[in-house]
Amino acid sequence: VDQDSYEAAVANAVPAELLKKVFAQESQFWAGTTTDGVHHGLGHLVETGLDPLFLWFPDIYAGTCAAVFSADTCKSGYASLSPDQKGMLRGYLLNQDIDVSCPTCPAGIDIEKAKRSIDIFAKLIIANCSQVDQVITNLTGLKPGAVSNYEDLWEITMANYNAGAGCTSTALRDTIQMSKPINWDNVSGNLA
């Protein structure tokens, strides 16, 4: 996992230590799907957690959509798909790239598929970062680096990864409405 995490981190401009800590925290480096079938892969991804990936990586959306739907359906973009269509795309990507369960493999895990999934998780972190950047820009009219610092922005990004854009957006909005600085302490205090 070390080399694959490092390579994915470098390729996607994600701090390598952050990527590895996500895997340690979320799954303790166990790449399988949880017994409840809800959390998948090294980053314990839930299905709806794939939304930022499809929104911020049009090439991943296009490739996945082309494998599932017609070109006509795919041309309008992920945001315009119906909830059922989005669910089908998320399910397809989970099965193809994230769920590494393999009943015939040692320990029930497809190790090569798990290694390949690391790049998806790195991209997913970047997608969440992009989402946080957009929310901050929309709320303040300023670039995120003008209103917060590097470490706090990564912490807010990881909150977005775990809680979703709705919770993070509300916490950011509430922080701004309270005229407090956008830092982790203030934003985390407003997470519901």
Short mmCIF file of all heavy atoms in Angstrom, two decimals, residues 129-189:
data_model
loop_
_atom_site.label_atom_id
_atom_site.label_comp_id
_atom_site.label_asym_id
_atom_site.label_seq_id
_atom_site.Cartn_x
_atom_site.Cartn_y
_atom_site.Cartn_z
N CYS A 129 -12.01 18.33 -2.07
CA CYS A 129 -11.29 19.59 -1.91
C CYS A 129 -11.85 20.64 -2.87
O CYS A 129 -12.10 21.79 -2.48
CB CYS A 129 -9.81 19.36 -2.17
SG CYS A 129 -8.77 20.81 -1.98
N SER A 130 -12.09 20.25 -4.10
CA SER A 130 -12.66 21.17 -5.09
C SER A 130 -14.05 21.63 -4.68
O SER A 130 -14.41 22.79 -4.86
CB SER A 130 -12.71 20.50 -6.46
OG SER A 130 -11.42 20.18 -6.90
N GLN A 131 -14.81 20.71 -4.11
CA GLN A 131 -16.16 21.05 -3.67
C GLN A 131 -16.10 22.07 -2.53
O GLN A 131 -16.84 23.07 -2.54
CB GLN A 131 -16.86 19.77 -3.21
CG GLN A 131 -18.35 19.83 -3.24
CD GLN A 131 -18.96 18.44 -3.12
OE1 GLN A 131 -18.51 17.62 -2.32
NE2 GLN A 131 -19.99 18.18 -3.90
N VAL A 132 -15.22 21.86 -1.56
CA VAL A 132 -15.05 22.81 -0.46
C VAL A 132 -14.58 24.16 -0.99
O VAL A 132 -15.09 25.21 -0.58
CB VAL A 132 -14.08 22.25 0.61
CG1 VAL A 132 -13.62 23.33 1.58
CG2 VAL A 132 -14.73 21.09 1.35
N ASP A 133 -13.63 24.14 -1.91
CA ASP A 133 -13.15 25.39 -2.51
C ASP A 133 -14.30 26.16 -3.15
O ASP A 133 -14.42 27.38 -2.97
CB ASP A 133 -12.08 25.11 -3.57
CG ASP A 133 -10.75 24.70 -3.00
OD1 ASP A 133 -10.61 24.66 -1.76
OD2 ASP A 133 -9.84 24.41 -3.80
N GLN A 134 -15.16 25.46 -3.88
CA GLN A 134 -16.28 26.11 -4.56
C GLN A 134 -17.27 26.69 -3.56
O GLN A 134 -17.75 27.81 -3.72
CB GLN A 134 -16.98 25.13 -5.50
CG GLN A 134 -18.03 25.80 -6.37
CD GLN A 134 -17.41 26.82 -7.32
OE1 GLN A 134 -16.56 26.46 -8.13
NE2 GLN A 134 -17.82 28.07 -7.22
N VAL A 135 -17.56 25.93 -2.51
CA VAL A 135 -18.51 26.42 -1.49
C VAL A 135 -17.96 27.68 -0.83
O VAL A 135 -18.67 28.67 -0.67
CB VAL A 135 -18.81 25.31 -0.44
CG1 VAL A 135 -19.55 25.89 0.76
CG2 VAL A 135 -19.60 24.18 -1.07
N ILE A 136 -16.68 27.66 -0.44
CA ILE A 136 -16.08 28.84 0.20
C ILE A 136 -16.10 30.03 -0.75
O ILE A 136 -16.46 31.15 -0.36
CB ILE A 136 -14.66 28.53 0.69
CG1 ILE A 136 -14.73 27.57 1.89
CG2 ILE A 136 -13.91 29.81 1.07
CD1 ILE A 136 -13.37 27.04 2.36
N THR A 137 -15.75 29.80 -2.01
CA THR A 137 -15.78 30.89 -3.00
C THR A 137 -17.19 31.44 -3.17
O THR A 137 -17.40 32.65 -3.22
CB THR A 137 -15.20 30.41 -4.34
OG1 THR A 137 -13.85 29.98 -4.13
CG2 THR A 137 -15.23 31.50 -5.39
N ASN A 138 -18.17 30.55 -3.24
CA ASN A 138 -19.57 30.98 -3.40
C ASN A 138 -20.04 31.79 -2.19
O ASN A 138 -20.78 32.77 -2.34
CB ASN A 138 -20.50 29.79 -3.60
CG ASN A 138 -20.32 29.12 -4.94
OD1 ASN A 138 -19.64 29.62 -5.83
ND2 ASN A 138 -20.91 27.95 -5.09
N LEU A 139 -19.64 31.37 -0.99
CA LEU A 139 -20.10 32.04 0.22
C LEU A 139 -19.38 33.35 0.51
O LEU A 139 -19.96 34.27 1.08
CB LEU A 139 -19.94 31.10 1.43
CG LEU A 139 -20.87 29.89 1.47
CD1 LEU A 139 -20.47 28.95 2.60
CD2 LEU A 139 -22.33 30.33 1.64
N THR A 140 -18.11 33.43 0.14
CA THR A 140 -17.31 34.60 0.51
C THR A 140 -16.95 35.50 -0.67
O THR A 140 -16.58 36.66 -0.46
CB THR A 140 -15.99 34.17 1.18
OG1 THR A 140 -15.16 33.50 0.22
CG2 THR A 140 -16.24 33.29 2.40
N GLY A 141 -16.98 34.97 -1.87
CA GLY A 141 -16.51 35.71 -3.03
C GLY A 141 -15.00 35.75 -3.13
O GLY A 141 -14.44 36.44 -3.98
N LEU A 142 -14.34 35.01 -2.26
CA LEU A 142 -12.87 34.98 -2.22
C LEU A 142 -12.36 33.57 -2.42
O LEU A 142 -13.07 32.59 -2.18
CB LEU A 142 -12.38 35.51 -0.87
CG LEU A 142 -12.78 36.95 -0.52
CD1 LEU A 142 -12.47 37.24 0.94
CD2 LEU A 142 -12.08 37.94 -1.44
N LYS A 143 -11.11 33.46 -2.82
CA LYS A 143 -10.46 32.15 -2.93
C LYS A 143 -10.24 31.59 -1.52
O LYS A 143 -9.98 32.36 -0.58
CB LYS A 143 -9.13 32.26 -3.66
CG LYS A 143 -9.27 32.64 -5.13
CD LYS A 143 -9.84 31.46 -5.88
CE LYS A 143 -9.91 31.76 -7.37
NZ LYS A 143 -10.59 30.70 -8.07
N PRO A 144 -10.33 30.30 -1.35
CA PRO A 144 -10.18 29.70 -0.02
C PRO A 144 -8.89 30.10 0.72
O PRO A 144 -8.91 30.35 1.92
CB PRO A 144 -10.22 28.20 -0.30
CG PRO A 144 -11.02 28.09 -1.54
CD PRO A 144 -10.66 29.30 -2.35
N GLY A 145 -7.78 30.19 0.00
CA GLY A 145 -6.52 30.56 0.63
C GLY A 145 -6.52 31.97 1.19
O GLY A 145 -5.69 32.31 2.04
N ALA A 146 -7.45 32.81 0.76
CA ALA A 146 -7.55 34.17 1.28
C ALA A 146 -8.32 34.25 2.59
O ALA A 146 -8.23 35.24 3.30
CB ALA A 146 -8.21 35.09 0.25
N VAL A 147 -9.07 33.19 2.91
CA VAL A 147 -9.90 33.21 4.12
C VAL A 147 -9.57 32.10 5.12
O VAL A 147 -10.15 32.05 6.20
CB VAL A 147 -11.41 33.15 3.76
CG1 VAL A 147 -11.82 34.36 2.96
CG2 VAL A 147 -11.75 31.86 3.02
N SER A 148 -8.66 31.22 4.76
CA SER A 148 -8.29 30.13 5.65
C SER A 148 -6.87 29.71 5.35
O SER A 148 -6.22 30.27 4.47
CB SER A 148 -9.25 28.95 5.47
OG SER A 148 -9.11 28.01 6.52
N ASN A 149 -6.38 28.71 6.09
CA ASN A 149 -5.02 28.24 5.83
C ASN A 149 -5.03 26.80 5.34
O ASN A 149 -6.05 26.12 5.37
CB ASN A 149 -4.13 28.41 7.08
CG ASN A 149 -4.54 27.51 8.22
OD1 ASN A 149 -4.76 26.32 8.06
ND2 ASN A 149 -4.66 28.08 9.42
N TYR A 150 -3.88 26.36 4.88
CA TYR A 150 -3.69 25.06 4.26
C TYR A 150 -4.21 23.91 5.13
O TYR A 150 -4.99 23.08 4.68
CB TYR A 150 -2.20 24.88 3.96
CG TYR A 150 -1.81 23.60 3.28
CD1 TYR A 150 -1.97 23.45 1.91
CD2 TYR A 150 -1.27 22.54 4.00
CE1 TYR A 150 -1.60 22.28 1.27
CE2 TYR A 150 -0.90 21.37 3.38
CZ TYR A 150 -1.06 21.24 2.01
OH TYR A 150 -0.70 20.08 1.39
N GLU A 151 -3.78 23.88 6.39
CA GLU A 151 -4.17 22.77 7.27
C GLU A 151 -5.67 22.76 7.53
O GLU A 151 -6.31 21.71 7.49
CB GLU A 151 -3.39 22.85 8.60
CG GLU A 151 -1.92 22.56 8.48
CD GLU A 151 -1.10 23.77 8.03
OE1 GLU A 151 -1.64 24.91 7.98
OE2 GLU A 151 0.09 23.58 7.69
N ASP A 152 -6.24 23.94 7.82
CA ASP A 152 -7.68 24.00 8.09
C ASP A 152 -8.49 23.60 6.86
O ASP A 152 -9.50 22.91 6.98
CB ASP A 152 -8.08 25.40 8.54
CG ASP A 152 -7.62 25.71 9.96
OD1 ASP A 152 -7.59 24.80 10.80
OD2 ASP A 152 -7.28 26.88 10.22
N LEU A 153 -8.04 24.01 5.68
CA LEU A 153 -8.77 23.64 4.47
C LEU A 153 -8.76 22.13 4.24
O LEU A 153 -9.77 21.56 3.81
CB LEU A 153 -8.20 24.39 3.26
CG LEU A 153 -8.52 25.88 3.25
CD1 LEU A 153 -7.70 26.59 2.17
CD2 LEU A 153 -10.01 26.13 3.05
N TRP A 154 -7.64 21.46 4.55
CA TRP A 154 -7.63 20.00 4.42
C TRP A 154 -8.55 19.36 5.46
O TRP A 154 -9.24 18.38 5.16
CB TRP A 154 -6.20 19.44 4.54
CG TRP A 154 -5.46 19.51 3.24
CD1 TRP A 154 -4.33 20.22 2.97
CD2 TRP A 154 -5.80 18.84 2.01
NE1 TRP A 154 -3.96 20.06 1.66
CE2 TRP A 154 -4.83 19.21 1.04
CE3 TRP A 154 -6.82 17.99 1.63
CZ2 TRP A 154 -4.86 18.74 -0.26
CZ3 TRP A 154 -6.85 17.52 0.33
CH2 TRP A 154 -5.88 17.90 -0.60
N GLU A 155 -8.60 19.91 6.66
CA GLU A 155 -9.51 19.34 7.67
C GLU A 155 -10.96 19.52 7.24
O GLU A 155 -11.78 18.60 7.40
CB GLU A 155 -9.24 19.98 9.03
CG GLU A 155 -7.92 19.50 9.62
CD GLU A 155 -7.64 20.06 10.99
OE1 GLU A 155 -7.31 21.25 11.09
OE2 GLU A 155 -7.75 19.28 11.96
N ILE A 156 -11.29 20.67 6.70
CA ILE A 156 -12.64 20.91 6.20
C ILE A 156 -12.94 19.97 5.02
O ILE A 156 -14.05 19.43 4.90
CB ILE A 156 -12.84 22.39 5.83
CG1 ILE A 156 -12.70 23.27 7.09
CG2 ILE A 156 -14.20 22.61 5.16
CD1 ILE A 156 -12.53 24.76 6.81
N THR A 157 -11.94 19.75 4.18
CA THR A 157 -12.10 18.80 3.06
C THR A 157 -12.43 17.41 3.57
O THR A 157 -13.31 16.72 3.04
CB THR A 157 -10.83 18.78 2.20
OG1 THR A 157 -10.69 20.04 1.55
CG2 THR A 157 -10.87 17.67 1.16
N MET A 158 -11.74 16.98 4.62
CA MET A 158 -12.00 15.63 5.14
C MET A 158 -13.36 15.55 5.83
O MET A 158 -14.00 14.50 5.82
CB MET A 158 -10.86 15.19 6.07
CG MET A 158 -9.53 15.03 5.34
SD MET A 158 -9.61 14.23 3.70
CE MET A 158 -10.32 12.65 4.08
N ALA A 159 -13.83 16.66 6.39
CA ALA A 159 -15.20 16.69 6.92
C ALA A 159 -16.19 16.50 5.78
O ALA A 159 -17.19 15.79 5.91
CB ALA A 159 -15.46 18.00 7.66
N ASN A 160 -15.90 17.15 4.65
CA ASN A 160 -16.75 17.00 3.47
C ASN A 160 -16.76 15.55 2.99
O ASN A 160 -17.81 15.00 2.63
CB ASN A 160 -16.26 17.94 2.37
CG ASN A 160 -17.30 18.22 1.31
OD1 ASN A 160 -18.24 18.95 1.57
ND2 ASN A 160 -17.11 17.66 0.13
N TYR A 161 -15.59 14.91 3.00
CA TYR A 161 -15.46 13.50 2.61
C TYR A 161 -16.32 12.62 3.52
O TYR A 161 -16.98 11.70 3.06
CB TYR A 161 -13.99 13.09 2.70
CG TYR A 161 -13.70 11.64 2.41
CD1 TYR A 161 -13.37 11.23 1.12
CD2 TYR A 161 -13.71 10.67 3.41
CE1 TYR A 161 -13.07 9.91 0.84
CE2 TYR A 161 -13.42 9.34 3.14
CZ TYR A 161 -13.09 8.97 1.86
OH TYR A 161 -12.80 7.65 1.59
N ASN A 162 -16.32 12.91 4.81
CA ASN A 162 -17.03 12.07 5.78
C ASN A 162 -18.49 12.42 5.95
O ASN A 162 -19.33 11.54 6.07
CB ASN A 162 -16.32 12.13 7.14
CG ASN A 162 -15.12 11.24 7.18
OD1 ASN A 162 -15.25 10.03 7.21
ND2 ASN A 162 -13.94 11.81 7.16
N ALA A 163 -18.81 13.70 5.99
CA ALA A 163 -20.18 14.11 6.31
C ALA A 163 -20.98 14.50 5.08
O ALA A 163 -22.21 14.53 5.14
CB ALA A 163 -20.14 15.28 7.29
N GLY A 164 -20.29 14.84 4.00
CA GLY A 164 -20.99 15.26 2.78
C GLY A 164 -21.05 16.76 2.65
O GLY A 164 -20.88 17.52 3.62
N ALA A 165 -21.32 17.19 1.43
CA ALA A 165 -21.30 18.62 1.10
C ALA A 165 -22.41 19.39 1.81
O ALA A 165 -22.23 20.56 2.14
CB ALA A 165 -21.41 18.81 -0.41
N GLY A 166 -23.55 18.77 2.04
CA GLY A 166 -24.64 19.47 2.71
C GLY A 166 -24.26 19.91 4.11
O GLY A 166 -24.42 21.07 4.48
N CYS A 167 -23.72 18.99 4.89
CA CYS A 167 -23.31 19.31 6.27
C CYS A 167 -22.17 20.32 6.28
O CYS A 167 -22.18 21.27 7.07
CB CYS A 167 -22.87 18.04 7.00
SG CYS A 167 -24.22 16.92 7.39
N THR A 168 -21.20 20.11 5.41
CA THR A 168 -20.04 21.00 5.39
C THR A 168 -20.44 22.40 4.93
O THR A 168 -20.01 23.40 5.51
CB THR A 168 -18.94 20.43 4.47
OG1 THR A 168 -18.66 19.09 4.89
CG2 THR A 168 -17.66 21.24 4.58
N SER A 169 -21.27 22.48 3.91
CA SER A 169 -21.74 23.78 3.43
C SER A 169 -22.49 24.54 4.51
O SER A 169 -22.29 25.74 4.70
CB SER A 169 -22.65 23.61 2.21
OG SER A 169 -21.96 23.04 1.14
N THR A 170 -23.35 23.85 5.24
CA THR A 170 -24.11 24.48 6.32
C THR A 170 -23.17 24.98 7.41
O THR A 170 -23.33 26.09 7.92
CB THR A 170 -25.15 23.50 6.90
OG1 THR A 170 -26.06 23.13 5.85
CG2 THR A 170 -25.91 24.09 8.06
N ALA A 171 -22.19 24.17 7.77
CA ALA A 171 -21.23 24.57 8.81
C ALA A 171 -20.42 25.79 8.36
O ALA A 171 -20.18 26.71 9.16
CB ALA A 171 -20.30 23.41 9.15
N LEU A 172 -20.01 25.81 7.10
CA LEU A 172 -19.28 26.97 6.58
C LEU A 172 -20.16 28.21 6.57
O LEU A 172 -19.74 29.29 7.00
CB LEU A 172 -18.74 26.67 5.18
CG LEU A 172 -17.52 25.77 5.12
CD1 LEU A 172 -17.34 25.20 3.71
CD2 LEU A 172 -16.28 26.52 5.57
N ARG A 173 -21.38 28.06 6.09
CA ARG A 173 -22.31 29.19 6.05
C ARG A 173 -22.57 29.74 7.46
O ARG A 173 -22.53 30.95 7.69
CB ARG A 173 -23.63 28.79 5.40
CG ARG A 173 -24.59 29.97 5.20
CD ARG A 173 -26.02 29.55 4.93
NE ARG A 173 -26.56 28.93 6.13
CZ ARG A 173 -27.13 27.73 6.16
NH1 ARG A 173 -27.26 27.01 5.06
NH2 ARG A 173 -27.59 27.23 7.28
N ASP A 174 -22.80 28.85 8.42
CA ASP A 174 -23.05 29.27 9.79
C ASP A 174 -21.84 29.98 10.38
O ASP A 174 -21.98 30.98 11.09
CB ASP A 174 -23.45 28.09 10.66
CG ASP A 174 -24.83 27.52 10.29
OD1 ASP A 174 -25.56 28.16 9.50
OD2 ASP A 174 -25.15 26.42 10.79
N THR A 175 -20.66 29.48 10.09
CA THR A 175 -19.42 30.11 10.57
C THR A 175 -19.30 31.53 10.03
O THR A 175 -18.99 32.46 10.77
CB THR A 175 -18.20 29.27 10.16
OG1 THR A 175 -18.32 27.95 10.72
CG2 THR A 175 -16.89 29.89 10.63
N ILE A 176 -19.57 31.70 8.75
CA ILE A 176 -19.49 33.01 8.12
C ILE A 176 -20.56 33.95 8.68
O ILE A 176 -20.28 35.12 8.98
CB ILE A 176 -19.58 32.88 6.59
CG1 ILE A 176 -18.32 32.17 6.06
CG2 ILE A 176 -19.77 34.22 5.91
CD1 ILE A 176 -18.44 31.63 4.65
N GLN A 177 -21.77 33.44 8.86
CA GLN A 177 -22.85 34.27 9.40
C GLN A 177 -22.57 34.73 10.83
O GLN A 177 -23.06 35.78 11.25
CB GLN A 177 -24.19 33.52 9.32
CG GLN A 177 -24.73 33.42 7.92
CD GLN A 177 -26.02 32.64 7.82
OE1 GLN A 177 -26.42 31.92 8.73
NE2 GLN A 177 -26.69 32.77 6.67
N MET A 178 -21.78 33.95 11.56
CA MET A 178 -21.40 34.32 12.93
C MET A 178 -20.19 35.26 12.93
O MET A 178 -19.69 35.61 13.99
CB MET A 178 -21.11 33.05 13.72
CG MET A 178 -22.31 32.14 13.88
SD MET A 178 -21.86 30.48 14.47
CE MET A 178 -21.62 30.82 16.20
N SER A 179 -19.72 35.63 11.74
CA SER A 179 -18.54 36.50 11.57
C SER A 179 -17.30 35.93 12.24
O SER A 179 -16.46 36.65 12.77
CB SER A 179 -18.83 37.91 12.11
OG SER A 179 -19.89 38.50 11.40
N LYS A 180 -17.18 34.62 12.18
CA LYS A 180 -16.00 33.94 12.72
C LYS A 180 -15.06 33.58 11.59
O LYS A 180 -15.50 33.34 10.46
CB LYS A 180 -16.41 32.67 13.48
CG LYS A 180 -17.16 32.94 14.76
CD LYS A 180 -17.38 31.66 15.52
CE LYS A 180 -18.00 31.92 16.88
NZ LYS A 180 -18.18 30.66 17.63
N PRO A 181 -13.78 33.49 11.87
CA PRO A 181 -12.82 33.07 10.84
C PRO A 181 -13.12 31.64 10.38
O PRO A 181 -13.59 30.81 11.16
CB PRO A 181 -11.47 33.14 11.55
CG PRO A 181 -11.68 33.99 12.75
CD PRO A 181 -13.12 33.84 13.13
N ILE A 182 -12.82 31.38 9.12
CA ILE A 182 -12.99 30.03 8.58
C ILE A 182 -11.76 29.22 8.95
O ILE A 182 -10.75 29.21 8.25
CB ILE A 182 -13.21 30.06 7.06
CG1 ILE A 182 -14.49 30.83 6.74
CG2 ILE A 182 -13.30 28.63 6.50
CD1 ILE A 182 -14.75 31.02 5.26
N ASN A 183 -11.85 28.57 10.10
CA ASN A 183 -10.81 27.65 10.53
C ASN A 183 -11.48 26.39 11.06
O ASN A 183 -12.70 26.36 11.25
CB ASN A 183 -9.87 28.30 11.56
CG ASN A 183 -10.60 28.72 12.83
OD1 ASN A 183 -11.46 28.01 13.35
ND2 ASN A 183 -10.26 29.90 13.33
N TRP A 184 -10.68 25.36 11.29
CA TRP A 184 -11.26 24.08 11.68
C TRP A 184 -12.04 24.15 12.98
O TRP A 184 -13.12 23.58 13.10
CB TRP A 184 -10.18 23.00 11.74
CG TRP A 184 -10.73 21.69 12.20
CD1 TRP A 184 -10.39 21.00 13.31
CD2 TRP A 184 -11.78 20.92 11.58
NE1 TRP A 184 -11.15 19.86 13.43
CE2 TRP A 184 -12.00 19.79 12.37
CE3 TRP A 184 -12.54 21.11 10.43
CZ2 TRP A 184 -12.96 18.83 12.05
CZ3 TRP A 184 -13.50 20.15 10.10
CH2 TRP A 184 -13.70 19.02 10.91
N ASP A 185 -11.53 24.86 13.96
CA ASP A 185 -12.23 24.94 15.24
C ASP A 185 -13.63 25.53 15.06
O ASP A 185 -14.60 25.01 15.61
CB ASP A 185 -11.43 25.79 16.24
CG ASP A 185 -10.20 25.07 16.75
OD1 ASP A 185 -10.14 23.82 16.66
OD2 ASP A 185 -9.28 25.77 17.22
N ASN A 186 -13.74 26.60 14.31
CA ASN A 186 -15.04 27.25 14.12
C ASN A 186 -15.98 26.42 13.25
O ASN A 186 -17.17 26.28 13.56
CB ASN A 186 -14.86 28.65 13.52
CG ASN A 186 -14.18 29.58 14.49
OD1 ASN A 186 -14.28 29.44 15.71
ND2 ASN A 186 -13.47 30.56 13.97
N VAL A 187 -15.47 25.90 12.16
CA VAL A 187 -16.31 25.11 11.25
C VAL A 187 -16.75 23.80 11.92
O VAL A 187 -17.93 23.45 11.86
CB VAL A 187 -15.60 24.84 9.91
CG1 VAL A 187 -16.41 23.89 9.03
CG2 VAL A 187 -15.32 26.15 9.17
N SER A 188 -15.84 23.12 12.58
CA SER A 188 -16.20 21.85 13.22
C SER A 188 -17.23 22.07 14.33
O SER A 188 -18.09 21.21 14.56
CB SER A 188 -14.97 21.13 13.77
OG SER A 188 -14.37 21.87 14.82
N GLY A 189 -17.20 23.22 14.99
CA GLY A 189 -18.19 23.55 16.00
C GLY A 189 -19.59 23.74 15.43
O GLY A 189 -20.57 23.68 16.16
#
